[in-house]
Amino acid sequence: MLMNKGSLNLTSTPKRVNTRTNVRVHGSKVQQSSTELTVKQQQQQQQGSRFAAITETAPAPPSQMTPGVIGGMAAMMGAGILISKATGGGSGGQNLAQLQGQQAALAAQLQAQQAATQAALLAQQNQIQAAQAQQLAHALQKAGMTGGSAAPKPVSSTSLEERMKAVQQHFPTALPVDDYMNRVELALSQLGFTGNNTIAMSNLCRDESCMILEDKIESVFGACFSTHGLGGVLTCGSIGIKAGLSHSPVVGGKEQYVFFSFPHIAIDSMNAIGKISRPNRPGSSSACGALCACLADFQKDGVEANCRVPGVHDAENPEYSILKQRLARQLKSENCKVEDLDLVSITKAAERTITNDLKHLISKAVDPSKANYAVFTGVQIHNWATDLTDGKTPSLEFVAAGECYTVINGKQEKLDVNAVPALSPRQLRLLGQVAEEQHPENDLPDQDSVVQEVPRGYLMRRIGGAAGARKSPVSYINVPM
């Protein structure tokens, strides 16, 4: 009964009796509970300080709020929530609720900033794409490839001399292709190189328009061993060169070779740079397309960004990537400014680059004690009619001479093709008459000029691919004079 009465007394006066009992009996536990509560409050205060720090750094500008930063802040927020749950309870419940409210507000703020960041990144990406498109358009305009480019200086499309002078403004050493090949043949024949004892190796662009020059070369030296590549880039290596050399005639115990290497460019009959008409295709096309693409990439990304370690290339686009990186290294070594580049200047740079590559491969593949050889480099220029169906406007071909030299018995001698006397208009006309008798369908015009038209019928069949096209329009071998 006393126990029951004592129990009733304890319950009837809970605050006084419980406090006194706790103080007397459980004093040490009260002190322990107070200490634990103090520790929890300190942890919660530290938790609040940490989230206050996060809150201070959260409102960063969208341009600085990268996905990595947002993810890291979200991870910190998640860790804070776990700590809050672990330290919750007791008299710290109010602080915990406050922290949870702060966390919810911070989560909403982070979500809003993440959306703003994504929107800012998208806008920035759109700006970059617009700038790239503008740079590409600017590059093409400088190359004369778009209708928005500056109008070229007008020339008379029917005046052959005027058109040649317009081409020579960009390429001063340019000669009509027939005149050029006549001079080459005359110079080499005096040094013992003929079609009977020499193999020609031609390195041109893969563009079918370049076959006009290949035909001219083969009319003198017979079938060529070709090492063609996009933009005229050499990718055959020394083994490829050696393979061609092994086909050479041997006369007097020695082999003889003549190397021709030319990138190309179009300057049409109205003096528009980079434009060329093609049979059965409306409008104008571009030449050289690969060099136009290189120019656009340099204008967009810069030269330095397109330099690569030699031997490294894009497996999907090997020739183009090799062409571009070799050009980039050449332009970098020459301290060329991107803003100064246009299609004419990059074509000239391609000629210098490919000439250096050719010289290197010759040094690896040719034994001067066992062979004599000649080298002719430059730029092939298409000066075709803007409309190939217009029979009144002639289509012309030019070659701008670059490096020209021979190596005979190990001794190198420079040649100047432009200093070799040209055939007279009468001689060229006689050659044209012989060619017309052999191929009357070529319909050669009677021209009193060293500038000779590419016969329209031949051009349409050779490039257009019509049945019955003949390989070469003119043969200068054993022509009676």
Side-chain angles (χ1 to χ4, degrees):
M1 293 294 294
L2 290 175
M3 292 295 296
N4 291 338
K5 186 177 180 179
S7 299
L8 291 173
N9 289 335
L10 288 173
T11 57
S12 61
T13 57
K15 291 184 179 180
R16 185 176 58 185
V17 176
N18 188 41
T19 302
R20 291 168 61 187
T21 304
N22 282 341
V23 170
R24 289 197 307 266
V25 180
H26 305 293
S28 60
K29 293 185 177 180
V30 170
Q31 184 177 359
Q32 180 179 359
S33 299
S34 176
T35 301
E36 291 177 352
L37 180 59
T38 302
V39 171
K40 291 181 180 179
Q41 290 174 344
Q42 290 176 351
Q43 291 175 344
Q44 292 168 354
Q45 289 174 357
Q46 293 175 356
Q47 178 78 4
S49 298
R50 180 161 57 251
F51 278 93
I54 296 174
T55 305
E56 290 177 0
T57 60
S63 60
Q64 300 177 1
M65 293 291 291
T66 63
V69 172
I70 295 174
M73 294 176 66
M76 293 174 64
M77 182 187 72
I81 293 174
L82 292 176
I83 294 174
S84 297
K85 288 183 178 179
T87 58
S91 61
Q94 184 177 359
N95 291 335
L96 177 59
Q98 184 178 0
L99 287 174
Q100 289 176 341
Q102 291 176 353
Q103 292 168 2
L106 180 59
Q109 184 180 9
L110 289 175
Q111 186 176 5
Q113 288 181 347
Q114 185 177 13
T117 300
Q118 291 177 347
L121 290 175
L122 180 60
Q124 186 178 14
Q125 184 178 6
N126 291 336
Q127 290 177 353
I128 292 174
Q129 291 176 347
Q132 290 174 346
Q134 186 176 6
Q135 289 174 346
L136 177 59
H138 176 68
L140 294 177
Q141 286 176 4
K142 290 187 70 176
M145 295 295 298
T146 67
S149 61
K153 294 181 179 179
V155 297
S156 172
S157 62
T158 58
S159 173
L160 305 187
E161 298 294 336
E162 186 174 340
R163 284 170 58 180
M164 181 172 70
K165 290 179 181 178
V167 168
Q168 288 174 337
Q169 289 180 352
H170 303 289
F171 297 91
T173 63
L175 294 171
V177 65
D178 289 318
D179 187 16
Y180 175 83
M181 285 306 305
N182 288 335
R183 297 184 193 215
V184 168
E185 184 180 7
L186 286 172
L188 289 181
S189 65
Q190 299 299 315
L191 299 172
F193 294 86
T194 69
N196 294 326
N197 64 16
T198 304
I199 187 171
M201 301 189 68
S202 65
N203 181 63
L204 310 175
C205 181
R206 293 187 180 277
D207 194 319
E208 69 279 0
S209 62
C210 297
M211 293 301 99
I212 304 298
L213 178 55
E214 176 116 325
D215 286 352
K216 300 293 185 179
I217 296 172
E218 292 189 342
S219 71
V220 178
F221 293 101
C224 295
F225 183 90
S226 65
T227 59
H228 303 341
L230 287 179
V233 65
L234 274 163
T235 58
C236 65
S238 59
I239 292 178
I241 295 291
K242 289 179 180 179
L245 303 183
S246 67
H247 306 165
S248 170
V250 179
V251 178
K254 280 196 171 184
E255 298 176 347
Q256 293 201 143
Y257 331 120
V258 55
F259 298 91
F260 293 96
S261 181
F262 305 92
H264 71 130
I265 187 174
I267 303 177
D268 71 14
S269 60
M270 296 304 295
N271 203 27
I273 298 174
K275 292 186 177 181
I276 186 172
S277 298
R278 300 183 187 270
N280 304 317
R281 182 179 179 86
S284 62
S285 181
S286 62
C288 170
L291 292 180
C292 287
C294 287
L295 175 61
D297 284 346
F298 293 155
Q299 295 282 4
K300 180 182 67 173
D301 303 322
V303 171
E304 181 73 28
N306 286 284
C307 291
R308 297 289 184 272
V309 177
V312 177
H313 61 269
D314 182 353
E316 186 174 346
N317 296 291
E319 283 190 352
Y320 176 69
S321 61
I322 292 172
L323 170 66
K324 185 168 65 171
Q325 65 180 272
R326 287 184 180 173
L327 270 175
R329 290 198 299 270
Q330 179 78 23
L331 294 171
K332 180 181 177 182
S333 69
E334 296 174 351
N335 296 318
C336 178
K337 297 181 180 179
V338 174
E339 55 268 24
D340 295 334
L341 284 177
D342 57 17
L343 189 56
V344 171
S345 62
I346 202 172
T347 302
K348 293 179 178 179
E351 187 272 326
R352 296 191 298 271
T353 303
I354 296 165
T355 296
N356 291 336
D357 290 345
L358 177 61
K359 288 180 176 179
H360 174 72
L361 292 177
I362 289 174
S363 71
K364 298 295 183 181
V366 177
D367 183 352
S369 66
K370 298 180 180 180
N372 299 326
Y373 64 93
V375 175
F376 294 89
T377 70
V379 176
Q380 180 183 5
I381 305 161
H382 314 294
N383 188 237
W384 295 3
T386 56
D387 181 2
L388 294 180
T389 63
D390 177 13
K392 297 181 181 180
T393 303
S395 291
L396 310 176
E397 280 279 309
F398 295 92
V399 174
E403 292 200 31
C404 309
Y405 62 90
T406 60
V407 176
I408 300 175
N409 297 324
K411 184 179 180 180
Q412 180 172 323
E413 294 287 348
K414 182 179 178 180
L415 292 176
D416 186 353
V417 174
N418 293 76
V420 176
L423 295 181
S424 68
R426 184 190 67 83
Q427 291 171 317
L428 288 172
R429 193 161 56 247
L430 288 174
L431 290 175
Q433 289 173 359
V434 172
E436 190 171 8
E437 290 175 0
Q438 295 175 351
H439 308 293
E441 71 281 4
N442 285 338
D443 190 25
L444 290 169
D446 185 12
Q447 298 168 341
D448 190 17
S449 171
V450 295
V451 185
Q452 297 292 301
E453 176 183 357
V454 178
R456 180 174 172 274
Y458 156 74
L459 178 63
M460 295 295 286
R461 284 186 297 275
R462 184 67 175 95
I463 307 302
R470 287 178 169 81
K471 180 65 176 176
S472 176
V474 180
S475 174
Y476 297 115
I477 301 176
N478 298 324
V479 175
M481 297 296 293

